[in-house]
Amino acid sequence: MIVRELGRSGIQVSAVGFGAWAIGGPFVSGGKPAGWGEVDDDESVAAVHRALDLGVTFFDTADVYGAGHSERVLRRALAGRRDDVVIATKFGNVFDPATRTVTGRDISPGYIRQACAASLERLGTDRIDLYQLHIGDAPLEQVDDLIATLEALVDDGLIRAYGWSTDDPERAAAFAKGPHCAAVQHELSVLRDAPAMLAVCDTHELASVNRGPLAMGLLSGKYGPSSKLPDDDVRGDSPAWMTLFRDGRPAPEFLAMMEAIRDVLTSGGRTLAQGALGWLLGRSERTVPIPGIRTVAQAEENAGALGHGPLSAAELAQIGELLHRPA
Ligand SMILES: NC(=O)c1ccc[n+]([C@@H]2O[C@H](COP(=O)([O-])OP(=O)(O)OC[C@H]3O[C@@H](n4cnc5c(N)ncnc54)[C@H](OP(=O)(O)O)[C@@H]3O)[C@@H](O)[C@H]2O)c1
């Protein structure tokens, strides 16, 4: 079993985690679906149990996923196993649980305390292991206040460490000055490299928690040019920031990249998804991919990447050449 540390925190996690966005079910943001369509909670709980059986110990959610539902499903699934797992959740979005609608953002000290208490309640736990700022473009000028608030939560024993979910290396570096800042959560997949962010992680000893590690499902290989995602799926009625899918269909340029590297990813008996996760494990010793999982079968396949381990340096170099990336 490959284990990784969350930065300087001393917290150890399985090198492949479990992303719990989809299992939150439907919710709406800016008038568009922000979930992944309807979910079957029993299947979600079974998927978490299968992942646990296969050695996965790191679970990433957010208060806003399903307007609180993802955290509640995790509570049910992790009952009796709390001390075996590491739970990461996020704050910063304000939402109405009754209508399952995102209503705004708030990162004031008072709201963060309130959001933390609400997440602890929904998760059924007395501490959050990694508490992450969910507002990727929050102003840099607020970093000192955010760090002070989060350090106070650490002092109170409510959280163990914190991080920022952002794709901006400058913001990640600024947050890293907080004594208990352990990670940055950012997009990283074999289709979308992030060398500047990985350099910040090395400089500041942060874990690189990878969202979108399967390019929102593209890297499972199950979507082709004629696939159309349903309208109640965030990929179906795609918001402006979505580039992996356009108008509900996989973007052709990313499908072409996937085809170019398919043989390398599937070498050594790996499935495509396992190869994509193996690329991430090989990309840096700090990476912790958190593939989104919604079924038992996906939990099994993704946890299987732990057994195969990282792609080799030669395979990474070959992929870099095939995708015309600088060495
Ligand atoms: N701003 C943020 O902080 C932020 C943003 C995005 C994500 N995240 C976190 O990162 C996690 C992962 O990112 P993501 O969910 O966007 O993308 P992802 O992990 O790249 O893709 C997940 C989706 O791929 C499909 N899938 C997963 N494993 C599969 C398998 N073995 N075979 C076939 N299909 C498979 C599932 O959807 P289908 O079966 O429907 O295709 C699943 O929901 C999220 O769950 C969340 O915890 C955080």
Side-chain angles (χ1 to χ4, degrees):
M1 186 57 60
I2 321 169
V3 167
R4 297 210 159 164
E5 291 219 351
L6 294 184
R8 297 157 287 177
S9 69
I11 301 172
Q12 292 200 331
V13 296
S14 57
V16 174
F18 185 119
W21 179 9
I23 67 171
F27 66 111
V28 174
S29 179
K32 286 188 177 278
W36 299 58
E38 293 297 334
V39 280
D40 172 351
D41 290 347
D42 291 339
E43 178 74 18
S44 303
V45 169
V48 170
H49 288 170
R50 192 70 188 121
L52 283 167
D53 290 346
L54 295 171
V56 172
T57 62
F58 185 43
F59 294 84
D60 177 77
T61 183
D63 56 0
V64 75
Y65 294 161
H69 193 65
S70 173
E71 289 184 332
R72 284 202 194 85
V73 171
L74 270 188
R75 173 195 189 133
R76 187 179 141 201
L78 296 174
R81 305 291 296 270
R82 177 64 186 95
D83 293 339
D84 304 335
V85 299
V86 172
I87 298 177
T89 192
K90 312 187 192 82
F91 65 92
N93 288 295
V94 185
F95 53 91
D96 176 3
T99 58
R100 297 177 81 118
T101 302
V102 181
T103 54
R105 303 165 154 201
D106 195 338
I107 52 171
S108 63
Y111 181 76
I112 294 173
R113 277 212 166 255
Q114 193 185 315
C116 181
S119 282
L120 288 167
E121 167 71 28
R122 281 189 295 266
L123 287 162
T125 183
D126 59 353
R127 80 273 182 200
I128 291 162
D129 299 297
L130 182 68
Y131 202 35
Q132 302 160 107
L133 172 59
H134 208 171
I135 309 299
D137 60 357
L140 270 169
E141 302 73 56
Q142 292 190 31
V143 161
D144 288 346
D145 288 347
L146 284 161
I147 289 175
T149 302
L150 292 164
E151 286 293 330
L153 292 178
V154 172
D155 290 345
D156 292 349
L158 300 175
I159 69 173
R160 294 172 69 197
Y162 54 86
W164 197 337
S165 180
T166 181
D167 289 314
D168 177 11
E170 191 184 356
R171 285 179 164 80
F175 223 37
K177 68 186 174 200
H180 291 87
C181 182
V184 54
Q185 181 171 142
H186 65 107
E187 184 178 3
L188 186 67
S189 76
V190 66
L191 302 185
R192 287 229 270 232
D193 200 2
M197 188 64 95
L198 291 172
V200 165
C201 291
D202 282 340
T203 304
H204 296 280
E205 292 183 75
L206 297 176
S208 152
V209 176
N210 311 133
R211 57 177 144 81
L214 300 178
M216 300 188 86
L218 257 187
L219 283 164
S220 69
K222 68 185 172 186
Y223 297 118
S226 58
S227 304
K228 173 79 178 83
L229 278 295
D231 283 346
D232 67 348
D233 187 310
V234 65
R235 298 165 293 183
D237 186 4
S238 326
W241 52 262
M242 173 90 57
T243 52
L244 293 162
F245 290 81
R246 265 199 304 275
D247 301 324
R249 297 184 190 283
E253 62 272 29
F254 289 109
L255 284 179
M257 286 170 75
M258 181 180 75
E259 288 309 330
I261 58 175
R262 180 187 281 272
D263 288 350
V264 188
L265 292 180
T266 55
S267 63
R270 293 179 170 92
T271 66
L272 202 51
Q274 289 169 346
L277 296 172
W279 181 87
L280 285 161
L281 297 180
R283 182 69 181 82
S284 154
E285 290 186 358
R286 300 185 185 278
T287 48
V288 185
I290 45 166
I293 290 171
R294 50 196 314 182
T295 64
V296 170
Q298 292 177 359
E300 283 176 358
E301 182 174 354
N302 297 344
L306 287 167
H308 286 287
L311 293 189
S312 67
E315 288 166 328
L316 262 88
Q318 205 182 342
I319 287 172
E321 277 173 32
L322 288 166
L323 296 179
H324 310 295
R325 286 185 182 143

